[in-house]
Amino acid sequence: MAFLADHLKRIKPSPTIAVTDKARALKAAGRNVIGLGAGEPDFDTPEHIKEAAIRAIKEGRASKYTAVDGIPELKQAVAQKFKRENGLDYKTSQITVSVGGKQVLYNAFMATLNPGDEVIIPAPYWVSYPDMVLLAGGTPVEVVCGMDKGFKITAEALARAITPKTKWFLLNSPANPTGAAYSRAELRALADVLVKHPHVHVMTDDMYEHLTYDAFEFTTPAQVEPELYARTLTINGVSKAYCMTGWRIGYAGGPEPLIKAMAMIQSQSTTNPAAVSQWAAVEALNGPQDFIAKHNKIFQERRDLVVSMLNQAKGLKCPMPEGAFYVYPSCAGTMGKKTQGGKTLASDEDFVSELLEEEGVAVVHGTAFGLGPAFRISYATKTEDLEEAGRRIQRFCGNLK
Ligand SMILES: Cc1ncc(COP(=O)(O)O)c(C=O)c1O
């Protein structure tokens, strides 16, 4: 009898973590490696948030278990955020707080998926979505959205993917790994399809809401179509915009029965997210927000730099994304070419492993996200490193024969 469970066979380790580990190992061995794999801001958590956490510890508010899915103060802050920024009314009984956005998604799938239930996932997607669906016993239905469609699902493609077994349509805007973000008009077109299919629920991962550029206006499905509000789980968190990936706080607003079911799953796994992190998140949501615009200005400059440098590399084509801190260039023009070391590039996995080997630049191959040949670059990295990485990528591509 096998010791390890069968469901492990359905999933794979995160390729983004694998690349980061490989880059770290090469660095430890003395190689000069620029890591562009990690999906987190290089900025530190703002000082006022850290101070709020320290106060919570000193005042004894961080020592004990809290309510399973969040302290009332944080649920209140989340409800106010949804009202202030998205025009959405959620009572605190419709709010859940978990250990990062990741646990929110996991709880939601565990609370709703039965064998055979389908989840529509536009590809390229964040690597964890299909594996989480599989772990929860559901069936991921990937819909490939190419560069020609701006990496976005169209109303027609969504309508084609819906079956009587569809339980969720999962939307991520701005998206990891492409940075693509849906305009209000694009969401309106999707909403028009969804209103015709009342059995389909909408899970929207708005984790990168605050990271948009060129005056892009963020909107979320429940805001665009009030009829969707009652069947939408609006997911967000403090990890990316507030530079708090290590604190592990994510949250969501949705229908009360779903929120209760998700709390039950959480009560039998992690119980509450760390109390100190919850108090830090209260300050993040209620405190000053001005640093976000300052960070975005830097992110936008980096995005422009990286896109421009990639488009000057032979065989690469990189669209300009609307948000997040990723770009997703196609490397189709390099396939079949030979590297200086004599290796023929047959896939994007070859491209990224040879790029790491020959030039010490770590990126993640696109097929890991469901669409290749391409790769993902995270530009949440020092500008000088991005400039150097751009030069190395240009040299690598220029040397291909
Ligand atoms: C699209 C998307 N959703 C959710 C998450 C998870 O966020 P958290 O770190 O809060 O769990 C990430 C993190 O990379 C992400 O890229």
Side-chain angles (χ1 to χ4, degrees):
M1 188 173 60
F3 176 57
L4 296 177
D6 286 346
H7 60 221
L8 273 181
K9 291 183 196 140
R10 286 185 244 150
I11 61 168
K12 54 192 178 315
S14 159
T16 47
I17 294 174
V19 166
T20 310
D21 286 350
K22 190 166 172 195
R24 201 175 288 133
L26 283 173
K27 254 186 207 167
R31 287 279 306 273
N32 175 337
V33 173
I34 303 175
L36 305 179
E40 59 183 345
D42 52 321
F43 305 118
D44 200 4
T45 306
E47 216 48 42
H48 65 280
I49 299 175
K50 291 189 199 169
E51 290 298 333
I54 292 166
R55 272 198 309 279
I57 292 173
K58 290 201 168 149
E59 291 167 8
R61 283 179 281 129
S63 310
K64 302 277 200 292
Y65 293 128
T66 72
V68 167
D69 67 349
I71 53 176
E73 291 84 350
L74 182 49
K75 289 192 174 191
Q76 191 63 42
V78 170
Q80 283 165 359
K81 174 260 178 278
F82 278 133
K83 182 72 186 160
R84 180 178 69 238
E85 296 184 344
N86 311 111
L88 294 173
D89 283 304
Y90 287 116
K91 297 191 287 240
T92 50
S93 55
Q94 292 178 278
I95 305 284
T96 189
V97 180
S98 300
V99 182
K102 207 167 198 172
Q103 195 188 18
V104 177
L105 285 148
Y106 193 74
N107 288 344
F109 289 136
M110 289 302 281
T112 56
L113 293 181
N114 289 315
D117 285 349
E118 295 174 358
V119 179
I120 297 174
I121 305 176
Y125 43 72
W126 180 42
V127 288
S128 294
Y129 295 147
D131 283 14
M132 279 196 207
V133 169
L134 288 166
L135 260 186
T139 306
V141 175
E142 297 173 16
V143 178
V144 174
C145 310
M147 196 187 273
D148 57 325
K149 302 275 189 299
F151 302 119
K152 296 177 204 174
I153 190 167
T154 60
E156 298 72 36
L158 174 61
R160 269 199 306 276
I162 292 173
T163 75
K165 290 184 175 170
T166 307
K167 188 153 263 175
W168 290 104
F169 165 51
L170 177 49
L171 185 84
N172 175 215
S173 168
N176 180 2
T178 60
Y182 291 71
S183 67
R184 181 178 275 272
E186 287 163 338
L187 288 183
R188 177 72 261 160
L190 298 178
D192 288 343
V193 173
L194 292 162
V195 292
K196 289 187 208 139
H197 299 279
H199 70 290
V200 178
H201 294 72
V202 181
M203 194 180 295
T204 176
D205 179 346
D206 300 349
M207 199 57 74
Y208 295 93
E209 167 179 5
H210 292 104
L211 301 169
T212 61
Y213 314 111
D214 305 322
F216 179 89
E217 228 177 275
F218 174 85
T219 27
T220 190
Q223 188 183 13
V224 168
E225 174 49 64
E227 206 183 307
L228 292 180
Y229 170 85
R231 51 184 163 115
T232 295
L233 184 67
T234 306
I235 301 176
N236 212 315
V238 295
S239 295
K240 312 285 175 170
Y242 297 91
C243 312
M244 294 176 68
T245 45
W247 298 79
R248 313 303 305 128
I249 296 290
Y251 58 80
E256 212 172 295
L258 170 63
I259 295 295
K260 269 203 183 125
M262 288 166 64
M264 191 148 79
I265 301 281
Q266 190 161 306
S267 76
Q268 298 298 13
S269 51
T270 58
T271 308
N272 59 278
V276 64
S277 298
Q278 293 190 62
W279 285 109
V282 170
E283 176 61 21
L285 295 177
N286 290 346
Q289 308 286 309
D290 51 326
F291 62 91
I292 296 178
K294 285 186 198 143
H295 289 174
N296 281 7
K297 191 167 168 290
I298 298 169
F299 279 139
Q300 180 163 339
E301 283 164 12
R302 289 176 179 173
R303 177 201 63 165
D304 295 348
L305 168 82
V306 171
V307 169
S308 156
M309 289 191 88
L310 289 171
N311 279 324
Q312 290 169 56
K314 221 168 117 201
L316 301 187
K317 201 167 142 197
C318 185
M320 181 69 81
E322 294 93 345
F325 38 62
Y326 308 105
V327 293
Y328 201 73
S330 159
C331 55
T334 67
M335 293 296 96
K337 300 252 163 78
K338 241 191 197 139
T339 66
Q340 266 201 321
K343 166 105 191 169
T344 302
L345 301 179
S347 65
D348 53 14
E349 210 164 350
D350 286 347
F351 182 95
V352 306
S353 77
E354 292 308 305
L355 178 65
L356 182 56
E357 201 52 51
E358 295 201 350
E359 292 287 355
V361 177
V363 300
V364 189
H365 57 289
T367 39
F369 304 102
L371 180 68
F375 59 96
R376 185 192 81 172
I377 283 183
S378 161
Y379 55 84
T381 299
K382 280 204 306 272
T383 308
E384 306 87 85
D385 285 353
L386 292 170
E387 281 167 348
E388 175 59 19
R391 281 191 290 271
R392 292 187 192 183
I393 292 170
Q394 287 175 354
R395 187 166 58 211
F396 177 75
C397 292
N399 283 338
L400 295 173
K401 291 260 170 19

